[in-house]
Amino acid sequence: MGKTVRNTGLFCDNIRQLSRILTRIYNNRIPKATVERMRISGDRSTSFRVEVSVRITQVAVLMALSDLSWTNEGATAQGVSQSELSDYLQVDPTTMCRNMQILVQENGWVCELPSASKRGKLLSISPRGLEVLRASLPAIEQVDEEIAALVGDGAAEIKNLVKAAMRVRELLKQEGASLN
């Protein structure tokens, strides 16, 4: 008996498919970045450079950290907590944790600073992260223009759909629904 492919036409499935397609397009167009790595062998360490792919999800984090005006207190010189950033970007905390490992430890694009409360760390964009962000923006803007040209008037409808989804999310939050 052959496997049946389920085509439900569910709204959520369609949006997720669109999201994956767009993510692939952006990821393929954003230029790679050079990162310095360290190889340790016995008592010797060797520094070397490697090119790494820059993902649109990483760029979103860098953009949010480069402009902290979205925080409750307004822009702060110190940074934001990982949970604040996760909330702002609508990213699951576990996913944000994985992203931070790459952005902080592997690539050095984000800095961790001690917080005043001694609980957790505050995140801020590093000078290298700012360079990566600036290098990524022309490619992102080009893709944005190409997509806008393809969807035409649909762009406004998409923005309205996102606003409606955010309103629904807030209503569910007020009712105490778990959104993770």
Side-chain angles (χ1 to χ4, degrees):
M1 191 187 312
K3 237 182 185 183
T4 304
V5 176
R6 197 181 105 202
N7 184 4
T8 62
L10 290 174
F11 189 69
C12 183
D13 288 343
N14 293 328
I15 296 295
R16 288 176 61 86
Q17 185 176 13
L18 175 62
S19 176
R20 287 185 187 108
I21 291 167
L22 291 174
T23 297
R24 270 189 234 119
I25 292 169
Y26 283 104
N27 287 347
N28 288 331
R29 298 285 277 293
I30 297 172
K32 293 186 177 202
T34 303
V35 175
E36 190 146 329
R37 298 279 163 85
M38 190 69 73
R39 180 175 300 137
I40 300 172
S41 177
D43 60 347
R44 291 184 45 197
S45 62
T46 309
S47 173
F48 65 98
R49 292 180 174 267
V50 62
E51 276 197 336
V52 296
S53 296
V54 180
R55 305 282 177 218
I56 191 67
T57 52
Q58 296 168 336
V59 172
V61 170
L62 296 176
M63 288 178 88
L65 290 174
S66 73
D67 174 18
L68 297 177
S69 63
W70 53 267
T71 61
N72 289 337
E73 296 82 37
T76 62
Q78 299 223 342
V80 294
S81 72
Q82 190 167 304
S83 64
E84 286 174 302
L85 186 60
S86 177
D87 243 15
Y88 175 73
L89 293 172
Q90 304 293 306
V91 175
D92 179 77
T94 305
T95 302
M96 183 60 72
C97 189
R98 272 195 316 270
N99 285 340
M100 282 305 114
Q101 182 176 359
I102 293 168
L103 293 170
V104 174
Q105 296 169 1
E106 294 179 24
N107 296 341
W109 299 344
V110 173
C111 300
E112 288 181 325
L113 309 164
S115 73
S117 69
K118 307 283 188 224
R119 287 187 60 211
K121 296 190 169 139
L122 296 177
L123 304 170
S124 68
I125 190 168
S126 72
R128 182 66 184 126
L130 200 50
E131 288 175 26
V132 169
L133 176 59
R134 287 181 179 145
S136 302
L137 290 178
I140 292 168
E141 289 167 357
Q142 179 66 38
V143 172
D144 284 350
E145 288 173 14
E146 291 172 19
I147 292 170
L150 286 172
V151 298
D153 293 339
E157 292 174 30
I158 293 169
K159 287 180 182 177
N160 287 334
L161 179 62
V162 171
K163 286 178 187 175
M166 295 303 286
R167 285 193 303 270
V168 168
R169 181 183 188 276
E170 287 308 310
L171 287 173
L172 291 173
K173 218 178 188 182
Q174 289 171 6
E175 292 175 7
S178 173
L179 301 175
N180 290 337

